[in-house]
Amino acid sequence: SQYPVSDQRAVPCMLMRGGTSRGPFFLESDLPVDTAARDRLLLAAMGSPDPRQIDGLGGAHPLTSKVGIVRRSTTPGVDLDFLFAQLQPNNDTVDVTPNCGNMLAAALPFALERGLLPVAQGVTTARILTLNTGMQCDVTVQTPDGQLQYSGDARIDGVPGTAAPISINFLDTAGSVCPSLLPTGRVLDRIAVDGVQVEATLIDNGMPMVLIRATDFGITGYEPAAELTANDTLRARLEALRLAAGPLMGLGDVAAKNYPKMCLISAPRDGGAINTRCFIPHVCHDSIGVLAAVTVATACVLPGAIAGDVARVPAGDVKTLSIEHPTGEFSVELETDQSGQVTRAALLRTARPIMRGEVLVPAHL
Ligand code: NQM
């Protein structure tokens, strides 16, 4: 390296925006093989735990406390393996249990940047296996003239401006972390929270989620995200419900886990299918997670689920559901079979490399 030797260890990485998330991406081969050593390195790289993450790359929010780890896959028919790690500003956890569809959007651009796969002419498609849950998807990026193209006309709410479209086609999302799509075997459950019965749909089509009516929690569902994050009474009730729902969903004690996500639903206001406010799980999301949106859209088409009261679902076997959220909407294309089961979910994201180089962490870690 052109730099002097110091007591800091330099680890190659690229800082990438994936959808509405941001974080460093690493080649698996650049990280320690030992999981505990890897996690110590990631915590130091992000500056966690510290509410401001002042000593690292983290952006002081769960959506900017994320890490992507990529390698060439050895699974037949799969091009890349992607591992997502959720860190936090306020604690020292490195959670690789659930997926992140936003960071996933940056995995293929990163792999092409680092030469893991060849760039094709026109568009480049890769099959990606997420090691978090074993889910597979096909991701397509724009590569006109065999060159990566990041700028374009695609717009996603929660990200300023426009960029080149990245399409993600999910192949098998049902029961990602939970044992099945509907882990309780019911489309609607009644759960006691502080002595009051609350109706909820407990569902996992890519993300474990608890769907409840905003009005059952004393809000309209149209409040700004920051206002809801600041609402301590609401957060306490949501957490009580979350702790009760975890074991029912086959997730065990979820006190220290960042799932299930809690989603307050209400009628759409801007021509969409449904309106949402998601807690991930302690902070209200400024928009909505990718697989969270897929899971909410799935609940909208499930007869008897809680979303049925308020959702406006287009007709047809292939339909686009617009999920309204605090900063706009998220369109999910769902394909359903004869029995109404969701067989495929597709959506649009964008991504961009922000910086390439080395992140420095103390060498003695
Ligand atoms: O649901 C936030 C995000 C996510 C997760 C969260 C995600 C997804 O917006 O696939 O992307 O739910 O913690 O990145």
Side-chain angles (χ1 to χ4, degrees):
S1 147
Q2 71 269 45
Y3 297 105
V5 173
S6 77
D7 62 352
Q8 302 296 299
R9 170 176 173 182
V11 187
C13 78
M14 285 182 68
L15 188 64
M16 311 268 308
R17 175 181 66 77
T20 51
S21 294
R22 188 186 70 213
F25 274 71
F26 296 90
L27 294 180
E28 187 195 58
S29 53
D30 286 329
L31 292 172
V33 175
D34 176 64
T35 305
R38 179 200 70 192
D39 289 355
R40 282 196 300 277
L41 189 150
L42 296 181
L43 286 163
M46 299 305 278
S48 293
D50 169 46
R52 290 189 299 150
Q53 293 172 315
I54 196 70
D55 208 24
L57 291 172
H61 191 284
L63 297 179
T64 50
S65 299
K66 301 184 168 196
V67 171
I69 303 170
V70 180
R71 69 178 185 205
R72 209 176 278 131
S73 187
T74 54
T75 304
V78 176
D79 301 301
L80 296 171
D81 292 343
F82 171 64
L83 182 71
F84 158 64
Q86 174 76 63
L87 284 78
Q88 298 289 344
N90 290 319
N91 64 50
D92 65 357
T93 54
V94 179
D95 188 356
V96 296
T97 312
N99 296 310
C100 174
N102 276 305
M103 290 292 276
L104 173 65
L108 179 55
F110 171 74
L112 296 174
E113 292 271 354
R114 295 304 310 271
L116 289 190
L117 298 176
V119 180
Q121 292 288 331
V123 296
T124 301
T125 297
R127 179 152 297 183
I128 303 182
L129 168 67
T130 68
L131 298 177
N132 301 81
T133 66
M135 173 190 79
Q136 294 189 14
C137 60
D138 288 329
V139 178
T140 299
V141 299
Q142 304 297 309
T143 51
D145 305 320
Q147 280 186 2
L148 271 158
Q149 180 170 296
Y150 294 104
S151 51
D153 296 333
R155 202 182 58 81
I156 58 172
D157 286 326
V159 179
T162 63
I166 296 177
S167 66
I168 307 181
N169 211 332
F170 291 106
L171 304 170
D172 55 341
T173 42
S176 69
V177 180
C178 295
S180 60
L181 177 74
L182 296 167
T184 64
R186 292 177 292 271
V187 285
L188 195 63
D189 279 274
R190 268 179 205 82
I191 303 173
V193 185
D194 303 331
V196 181
Q197 295 282 320
V198 175
E199 283 190 328
T201 289
L202 314 184
I203 181 169
D204 173 359
N205 199 19
M207 184 63 76
M209 297 189 77
V210 176
L211 271 53
I212 57 260
R213 290 181 199 95
T215 48
D216 285 347
F217 281 76
I219 65 165
T220 64
Y222 307 105
E223 293 84 353
E227 181 182 324
L228 296 180
T229 297
N231 184 337
D232 292 336
T233 314
L234 171 66
R235 279 176 43 186
R237 277 193 75 203
L238 287 176
E239 187 61 4
L241 173 59
R242 201 177 75 83
L243 295 178
L248 299 175
M249 299 174 79
L251 300 170
D253 178 4
V254 294
K257 296 177 178 160
N258 61 55
Y259 55 87
K261 316 285 182 183
M262 308 300 289
C263 185
L264 299 141
I265 59 162
S266 49
R269 277 206 307 193
D270 296 311
I274 196 164
N275 177 58
T276 61
R277 293 292 182 270
C278 289
F279 277 73
I280 58 171
H282 305 294
V283 173
C284 184
H285 203 306
D286 294 312
S287 49
I288 188 169
V290 171
L291 288 148
V294 170
T295 300
V296 171
T298 302
C300 289
V301 304
L302 265 183
I306 197 157
D309 311 352
V310 291
R312 290 189 201 126
V313 179
D317 293 342
V318 179
K319 43 188 157 256
T320 300
L321 280 85
S322 165
I323 311 300
E324 299 179 4
H325 59 65
T327 54
E329 68 87 39
F330 190 127
S331 290
V332 180
E333 185 184 289
L334 290 185
E335 193 171 323
T336 46
D337 66 13
Q338 301 287 301
S339 67
Q341 301 263 354
V342 173
T343 51
R344 190 178 67 86
L347 49 91
L348 177 81
R349 293 282 83 187
T350 66
R352 202 178 74 81
I354 298 168
M355 212 200 76
R356 358 178 206 232
E358 297 168 331
V359 65
L360 298 167
V361 296
H364 61 74
L365 280 177

